[in-house]
Amino acid sequence: MGQSVSTFTDAAQCSIDPTSLKAVSCPVDHKLPSQSSAQCPVDRKTLPVSSPLQTPAECPVDHSSLNQMPALSQGRAPSQTLELPTARTESSILRDSASKWEYPSPQQFYNALVRKGWETPEEHVETMVEIHNFLNEQAWQEVLKWEKRATDNPTDVQLARFKGRPGELSPKARFWLLAGWLLPSRFNTEPPFDRHDWVVRRPSTGEEVRYVIDYYSAPPEPDGSPVFSLDVRPALDSFASLKERIALATEDVWAEFRENKP
Protein backbone atom coordinates (compact mmCIF):
# COMPACT_ATOMS: atom_id res chain seq x y z
CA MET A 1 0.00 0.00 0.00
CA GLY A 2 1.31 3.38 -0.82
CA GLN A 3 4.47 2.74 -2.84
CA SER A 4 3.94 -0.26 -5.10
CA VAL A 5 6.59 -1.58 -7.46
CA SER A 6 5.77 -3.18 -10.82
CA THR A 7 8.41 -4.49 -13.20
CA PHE A 8 8.33 -6.42 -16.45
CA THR A 9 10.81 -9.30 -16.85
CA ASP A 10 11.24 -12.37 -19.03
CA ALA A 11 10.01 -14.50 -16.15
CA ALA A 12 6.92 -12.29 -15.81
CA GLN A 13 7.72 -11.60 -12.20
CA CYS A 14 7.64 -8.18 -10.53
CA SER A 15 10.67 -7.44 -8.35
CA ILE A 16 10.59 -5.59 -5.05
CA ASP A 17 13.43 -4.41 -2.90
CA PRO A 18 11.89 -2.68 0.13
CA THR A 19 15.32 -1.80 1.48
CA SER A 20 16.46 0.07 -1.62
CA LEU A 21 13.58 1.74 -3.42
CA LYS A 22 15.97 3.99 -5.32
CA ALA A 23 17.49 0.95 -7.02
CA VAL A 24 14.49 -0.91 -8.36
CA SER A 25 11.33 1.06 -7.81
CA CYS A 26 10.45 4.70 -7.33
CA PRO A 27 13.31 7.08 -8.13
CA VAL A 28 12.85 8.65 -4.71
CA ASP A 29 13.27 6.89 -1.40
CA HIS A 30 9.75 6.95 0.05
CA LYS A 31 10.46 4.33 2.77
CA LEU A 32 6.80 3.37 3.01
CA PRO A 33 5.89 0.50 5.32
CA SER A 34 4.22 -1.73 2.80
CA GLN A 35 5.03 -2.95 -0.71
CA SER A 36 3.14 -5.08 -3.20
CA SER A 37 4.22 -7.21 -6.14
CA ALA A 38 2.31 -8.37 -9.18
CA GLN A 39 2.62 -10.68 -12.15
CA CYS A 40 3.55 -9.10 -15.47
CA PRO A 41 1.18 -9.86 -18.37
CA VAL A 42 3.73 -9.06 -21.09
CA ASP A 43 6.34 -11.39 -22.57
CA ARG A 44 9.39 -9.15 -22.73
CA LYS A 45 11.22 -11.64 -25.01
CA THR A 46 9.26 -10.33 -27.99
CA LEU A 47 10.23 -6.69 -27.46
CA PRO A 48 13.28 -5.12 -29.16
CA VAL A 49 15.89 -3.26 -27.15
CA SER A 50 14.79 0.01 -28.70
CA SER A 51 11.20 -0.41 -27.54
CA PRO A 52 9.58 2.91 -26.51
CA LEU A 53 8.33 1.16 -23.40
CA GLN A 54 11.69 1.86 -21.81
CA THR A 55 10.91 5.58 -21.75
CA PRO A 56 7.31 5.78 -20.54
CA ALA A 57 5.33 9.01 -20.65
CA GLU A 58 1.96 10.04 -19.36
CA CYS A 59 -1.15 8.18 -20.46
CA PRO A 60 -1.97 9.24 -24.04
CA VAL A 61 -5.71 9.05 -23.35
CA ASP A 62 -6.90 12.52 -22.38
CA HIS A 63 -8.48 12.34 -18.92
CA SER A 64 -8.08 16.06 -18.32
CA SER A 65 -11.64 16.46 -17.08
CA LEU A 66 -13.87 14.36 -14.84
CA ASN A 67 -15.66 12.87 -17.80
CA GLN A 68 -14.89 9.22 -17.03
CA MET A 69 -13.70 7.88 -20.41
CA PRO A 70 -13.58 10.20 -23.44
CA ALA A 71 -15.06 9.11 -26.76
CA LEU A 72 -12.19 7.58 -28.73
CA SER A 73 -12.35 6.69 -32.41
CA GLN A 74 -12.10 3.06 -33.48
CA GLY A 75 -11.25 4.06 -37.05
CA ARG A 76 -7.83 3.63 -38.65
CA ALA A 77 -5.42 6.54 -38.50
CA PRO A 78 -4.56 8.10 -41.92
CA SER A 79 -0.97 6.81 -41.99
CA GLN A 80 -1.66 3.50 -40.22
CA THR A 81 -0.29 0.39 -41.96
CA LEU A 82 -1.18 -2.44 -39.55
CA GLU A 83 -4.61 -3.63 -38.51
CA LEU A 84 -5.08 -3.12 -34.77
CA PRO A 85 -7.71 -4.84 -32.60
CA THR A 86 -10.80 -2.84 -31.71
CA ALA A 87 -11.94 -5.12 -28.87
CA ARG A 88 -11.87 -3.51 -25.44
CA THR A 89 -10.78 -5.33 -22.27
CA GLU A 90 -13.02 -5.22 -19.23
CA SER A 91 -11.21 -4.22 -16.06
CA SER A 92 -11.74 -5.52 -12.54
CA ILE A 93 -12.73 -2.01 -11.44
CA LEU A 94 -16.38 -1.50 -10.58
CA ARG A 95 -18.00 1.46 -12.31
CA ASP A 96 -21.33 1.02 -10.54
CA SER A 97 -23.32 -1.84 -9.06
CA ALA A 98 -23.97 -3.34 -12.51
CA SER A 99 -20.87 -2.72 -14.64
CA LYS A 100 -17.10 -2.42 -14.72
CA TRP A 101 -14.81 0.00 -16.49
CA GLU A 102 -13.45 -0.93 -19.93
CA TYR A 103 -9.98 -0.06 -21.17
CA PRO A 104 -9.39 1.51 -24.59
CA SER A 105 -8.77 -0.90 -27.45
CA PRO A 106 -5.34 -0.95 -29.13
CA GLN A 107 -6.85 1.00 -32.03
CA GLN A 108 -8.23 3.68 -29.70
CA PHE A 109 -4.92 3.80 -27.84
CA TYR A 110 -3.01 4.26 -31.09
CA ASN A 111 -5.37 7.02 -32.20
CA ALA A 112 -4.73 8.79 -28.90
CA LEU A 113 -0.97 8.52 -29.50
CA VAL A 114 -1.32 9.93 -33.01
CA ARG A 115 -3.49 12.79 -31.78
CA LYS A 116 -0.77 13.78 -29.29
CA GLY A 117 1.89 13.58 -32.00
CA TRP A 118 3.79 10.68 -30.41
CA GLU A 119 5.67 8.44 -32.83
CA THR A 120 5.00 4.86 -31.79
CA PRO A 121 5.67 1.70 -33.85
CA GLU A 122 2.28 0.15 -34.52
CA GLU A 123 3.56 -3.34 -33.73
CA HIS A 124 4.18 -2.32 -30.09
CA VAL A 125 0.79 -0.74 -29.42
CA GLU A 126 -0.85 -3.93 -28.12
CA THR A 127 1.99 -4.42 -25.63
CA MET A 128 1.70 -0.80 -24.51
CA VAL A 129 -2.02 -1.31 -23.91
CA GLU A 130 -1.28 -4.37 -21.78
CA ILE A 131 1.16 -2.38 -19.65
CA HIS A 132 -1.29 0.53 -19.40
CA ASN A 133 -4.02 -1.84 -18.19
CA PHE A 134 -1.63 -3.68 -15.88
CA LEU A 135 -0.56 -0.48 -14.10
CA ASN A 136 -4.13 0.63 -13.56
CA GLU A 137 -5.12 -2.79 -12.23
CA GLN A 138 -2.25 -2.57 -9.75
CA ALA A 139 -3.35 0.93 -8.76
CA TRP A 140 -6.84 -0.40 -8.05
CA GLN A 141 -5.45 -3.19 -5.88
CA GLU A 142 -3.60 -0.58 -3.84
CA VAL A 143 -6.83 1.42 -3.49
CA LEU A 144 -8.62 -1.71 -2.23
CA LYS A 145 -5.92 -2.19 0.42
CA TRP A 146 -6.64 1.28 1.73
CA GLU A 147 -10.37 0.69 1.54
CA LYS A 148 -10.02 -2.51 3.54
CA ARG A 149 -8.83 -0.38 6.43
CA ALA A 150 -11.83 1.93 6.23
CA THR A 151 -14.81 -0.22 5.26
CA ASP A 152 -16.16 -3.66 6.09
CA ASN A 153 -16.76 -4.62 2.45
CA PRO A 154 -14.04 -3.13 0.22
CA THR A 155 -15.01 -5.36 -2.72
CA ASP A 156 -18.14 -3.24 -3.26
CA VAL A 157 -16.34 0.08 -3.66
CA GLN A 158 -16.63 1.72 -7.07
CA LEU A 159 -14.48 4.05 -9.13
CA ALA A 160 -16.99 6.86 -9.61
CA ARG A 161 -14.79 9.07 -11.80
CA PHE A 162 -11.18 9.96 -12.45
CA LYS A 163 -8.99 12.68 -13.86
CA GLY A 164 -5.57 12.63 -15.47
CA ARG A 165 -3.29 15.41 -14.25
CA PRO A 166 0.09 14.93 -15.99
CA GLY A 167 2.51 17.72 -15.20
CA GLU A 168 0.69 18.65 -11.98
CA LEU A 169 2.92 17.57 -9.13
CA SER A 170 1.23 16.45 -5.93
CA PRO A 171 2.54 17.95 -2.65
CA LYS A 172 4.18 14.63 -1.82
CA ALA A 173 5.94 14.46 -5.19
CA ARG A 174 7.16 18.04 -4.68
CA PHE A 175 8.51 17.10 -1.26
CA TRP A 176 10.57 14.21 -2.65
CA LEU A 177 11.85 16.34 -5.50
CA LEU A 178 13.00 18.88 -2.93
CA ALA A 179 14.67 16.08 -0.99
CA GLY A 180 16.46 15.04 -4.18
CA TRP A 181 17.63 18.61 -4.72
CA LEU A 182 18.95 18.84 -1.15
CA LEU A 183 20.41 15.30 -1.02
CA PRO A 184 21.06 14.18 -4.61
CA SER A 185 23.29 11.34 -3.45
CA ARG A 186 20.38 9.74 -1.59
CA PHE A 187 17.25 10.79 -3.48
CA ASN A 188 16.56 10.93 -7.19
CA THR A 189 15.22 14.07 -8.82
CA GLU A 190 13.01 12.37 -11.43
CA PRO A 191 9.37 13.48 -11.09
CA PRO A 192 6.46 11.08 -11.66
CA PHE A 193 5.71 10.64 -15.35
CA ASP A 194 1.96 10.75 -14.75
CA ARG A 195 -0.64 11.49 -12.12
CA HIS A 196 -4.27 10.44 -11.76
CA ASP A 197 -6.89 11.44 -9.22
CA TRP A 198 -9.47 8.70 -8.64
CA VAL A 199 -12.73 9.33 -6.79
CA VAL A 200 -13.94 6.15 -5.08
CA ARG A 201 -17.53 5.70 -3.97
CA ARG A 202 -18.49 3.56 -0.96
CA PRO A 203 -22.00 2.24 -1.71
CA SER A 204 -22.72 1.31 1.89
CA THR A 205 -22.50 4.94 3.02
CA GLY A 206 -22.55 6.92 -0.22
CA GLU A 207 -19.26 8.52 0.81
CA GLU A 208 -16.74 9.51 -1.86
CA VAL A 209 -12.99 9.48 -1.26
CA ARG A 210 -10.36 10.96 -3.57
CA TYR A 211 -7.13 9.05 -4.14
CA VAL A 212 -3.92 10.43 -5.64
CA ILE A 213 -1.80 8.13 -7.80
CA ASP A 214 1.72 9.08 -8.84
CA TYR A 215 3.23 6.92 -11.57
CA TYR A 216 7.03 6.66 -11.51
CA SER A 217 9.51 5.00 -13.82
CA ALA A 218 12.80 3.72 -12.49
CA PRO A 219 16.07 2.47 -14.01
CA PRO A 220 15.37 -0.69 -16.04
CA GLU A 221 16.41 -4.18 -15.08
CA PRO A 222 19.77 -5.48 -16.44
CA ASP A 223 17.89 -7.21 -19.27
CA GLY A 224 16.24 -3.94 -20.28
CA SER A 225 12.87 -4.66 -18.71
CA PRO A 226 11.17 -1.46 -17.54
CA VAL A 227 10.34 -0.90 -13.89
CA PHE A 228 7.40 1.13 -12.62
CA SER A 229 6.42 2.29 -9.18
CA LEU A 230 2.99 3.45 -8.01
CA ASP A 231 2.42 5.74 -5.05
CA VAL A 232 -1.27 5.36 -4.17
CA ARG A 233 -2.81 7.11 -1.17
CA PRO A 234 -5.95 8.97 -0.06
CA ALA A 235 -5.79 12.69 -0.72
CA LEU A 236 -5.37 14.83 2.37
CA ASP A 237 -8.70 16.60 1.94
CA SER A 238 -10.59 15.03 4.85
CA PHE A 239 -9.88 14.21 8.48
CA ALA A 240 -10.59 10.50 7.89
CA SER A 241 -8.00 10.30 5.09
CA LEU A 242 -5.44 12.17 7.18
CA LYS A 243 -6.06 9.76 10.05
CA GLU A 244 -5.54 6.72 7.81
CA ARG A 245 -2.33 8.12 6.35
CA ILE A 246 -0.89 8.78 9.80
CA ALA A 247 -2.04 5.40 11.12
CA LEU A 248 -0.36 3.52 8.28
CA ALA A 249 2.86 5.51 8.56
CA THR A 250 3.18 4.77 12.28
CA GLU A 251 1.96 1.16 12.41
CA ASP A 252 5.37 -0.48 12.01
CA VAL A 253 6.94 1.90 14.51
CA TRP A 254 4.34 1.09 17.17
CA ALA A 255 4.52 -2.64 16.42
CA GLU A 256 8.28 -2.65 16.93
CA PHE A 257 7.89 -0.60 20.10
CA ARG A 258 5.36 -3.07 21.55
CA GLU A 259 7.60 -6.04 20.72
CA ASN A 260 10.61 -4.48 22.42
CA LYS A 261 8.74 -3.10 25.39
CA PRO A 262 10.06 -4.60 28.65
Side-chain angles (χ1 to χ4, degrees):
M1 192 156 39
Q3 196 71 30
S4 167
V5 180
S6 301
T7 180
F8 293 88
T9 66
D10 289 346
Q13 176 65 46
C14 292
S15 66
I16 297 176
D17 184 359
T19 63
S20 180
L21 292 181
K22 290 173 62 179
V24 297
S25 58
C26 173
V28 293
D29 188 357
H30 288 229
K31 297 186 181 302
L32 292 182
S34 177
Q35 303 289 326
S36 70
S37 61
Q39 294 293 329
C40 167
V42 180
D43 183 4
R44 289 287 304 173
K45 295 178 181 178
T46 62
L47 296 180
V49 175
S50 60
S51 169
L53 297 176
Q54 295 180 6
T55 56
E58 77 266 12
C59 176
V61 181
D62 185 8
H63 302 303
S64 58
S65 61
L66 290 174
N67 59 354
Q68 286 89 49
M69 181 66 71
L72 300 173
S73 171
Q74 291 275 29
R76 289 170 61 98
S79 60
Q80 184 176 335
T81 59
L82 297 180
E83 194 74 26
L84 294 174
T86 58
R88 300 179 64 177
T89 301
E90 185 180 75
S91 74
S92 66
I93 306 172
L94 289 177
R95 183 170 187 166
D96 51 43
S97 59
S99 64
K100 297 179 180 178
W101 288 94
E102 288 187 336
Y103 293 118
S105 69
Q107 182 64 64
Q108 290 175 312
F109 200 87
Y110 181 71
N111 289 339
L113 290 167
V114 171
R115 184 168 55 187
K116 285 199 170 184
W118 295 355
E119 295 184 8
T120 304
E122 298 168 22
E123 62 271 20
H124 298 323
V125 170
E126 291 185 62
T127 301
M128 294 181 70
V129 170
E130 289 189 65
I131 293 179
H132 169 272
N133 300 353
F134 168 77
L135 289 176
N136 284 285
E137 288 293 320
Q138 295 309 305
W140 184 245
Q141 293 304 311
E142 294 301 309
V143 168
L144 292 181
K145 290 179 184 179
W146 281 102
E147 286 297 301
K148 189 179 295 184
R149 301 171 58 90
T151 180
D152 295 333
N153 194 2
T155 58
D156 285 346
V157 298
Q158 304 159 4
L159 178 57
R161 54 193 182 275
F162 55 90
K163 181 177 181 179
R165 302 175 67 177
E168 293 186 48
L169 293 179
S170 64
K172 187 175 182 181
R174 290 181 184 277
F175 172 81
W176 290 116
L177 284 176
L178 175 61
W181 179 74
L182 294 173
L183 299 171
S185 62
R186 182 175 180 184
F187 301 102
N188 199 294
T189 57
E190 288 296 321
F193 64 82
D194 202 1
R195 171 188 170 181
H196 280 189
D197 283 14
W198 289 8
V199 178
V200 171
R201 181 190 301 115
R202 297 170 180 168
S204 58
T205 62
E207 181 184 7
E208 292 189 345
V209 180
R210 182 168 65 94
Y211 282 84
V212 178
I213 306 170
D214 286 326
Y215 297 80
Y216 290 91
S217 59
E221 295 289 345
D223 63 355
S225 300
V227 180
F228 304 97
S229 179
L230 308 181
D231 191 353
V232 183
R233 70 276 187 193
L236 295 179
D237 51 12
S238 70
F239 177 76
S241 294
L242 175 62
K243 180 181 176 182
E244 285 300 322
R245 293 270 294 269
I246 294 175
L248 179 64
T250 57
E251 271 184 358
D252 286 353
V253 175
W254 285 112
E256 183 177 355
F257 173 78
R258 286 193 295 268
E259 290 178 2
N260 298 330
K261 186 178 180 179

